[in-house]
Amino acid sequence: QVQVQESGGGLVQAGGSLRLSCAVSGRTFSSTAMGWFRQAPGKVRKFVASINWSGGTTFYGDNVKGRFTISRDNAKNTVYLQMNSLKPDDTAVYYCAARSGRVATTDRANYDYWGQGTQVTVSS
């Protein structure tokens, strides 16, 4: 079955940067859209960014526009999330997800396969 694995989380000071990676196996990566979501303790999982099958179309949540960048390398079956100018409010578990389709969406219900998450903690 399709497997999704995030990496790159950690502890960083406010204003710093992190780059998350997400490796996908078990499916033709170039035929699927990918997304990043995050969930803080006691809160619902929220949309962060998504990218279509080719990388030509991207979407971002309002709280991360101008600071985060999603990209993909289809030759490596990997999607990335570059996070700059991090704030304490960015602290959450970050999840990578794949959907059975080429079109990027912002709804977590559209995504079929999920990683276990990677913790990002931003200190002030």
Side-chain angles (χ1 to χ4, degrees):
Q1 61 181 20
V2 174
Q3 293 184 318
V4 181
Q5 181 63 246
E6 308 94 336
S7 62
L11 175 64
V12 64
Q13 293 185 356
S17 298
L18 283 174
R19 189 190 193 196
L20 305 183
S21 298
C22 174
V24 181
S25 63
R27 195 185 188 279
T28 303
F29 184 71
S30 61
S31 297
T32 187
M34 302 292 300
W36 286 96
F37 298 79
R38 66 187 185 185
Q39 186 169 19
K43 297 185 177 181
V44 300
R45 193 169 301 183
K46 295 184 177 180
F47 171 75
V48 175
S50 60
I51 188 166
N52 78 332
W53 69 277
S54 69
T57 302
T58 58
F59 298 102
Y60 295 95
D62 290 341
N63 292 337
V64 305
K65 288 180 180 178
R67 299 188 298 120
F68 291 10
T69 302
I70 188 171
S71 62
R72 68 190 298 158
D73 186 341
N74 286 352
K76 297 181 178 180
N77 289 0
T78 302
V79 64
Y80 305 96
L81 185 68
Q82 179 67 45
M83 304 185 294
N84 298 326
S85 301
L86 283 163
K87 306 174 181 179
D89 286 348
D90 296 319
T91 296
V93 176
Y94 283 70
Y95 296 90
C96 180
R99 68 179 299 260
S100 299
R102 299 177 180 177
V103 178
T105 77
T106 63
D107 189 347
R108 67 180 184 272
N110 296 148
Y111 291 82
D112 304 298
Y113 309 101
W114 294 81
Q116 293 185 349
T118 184
Q119 177 71 49
V120 173
T121 302
V122 184
S123 62
S124 61

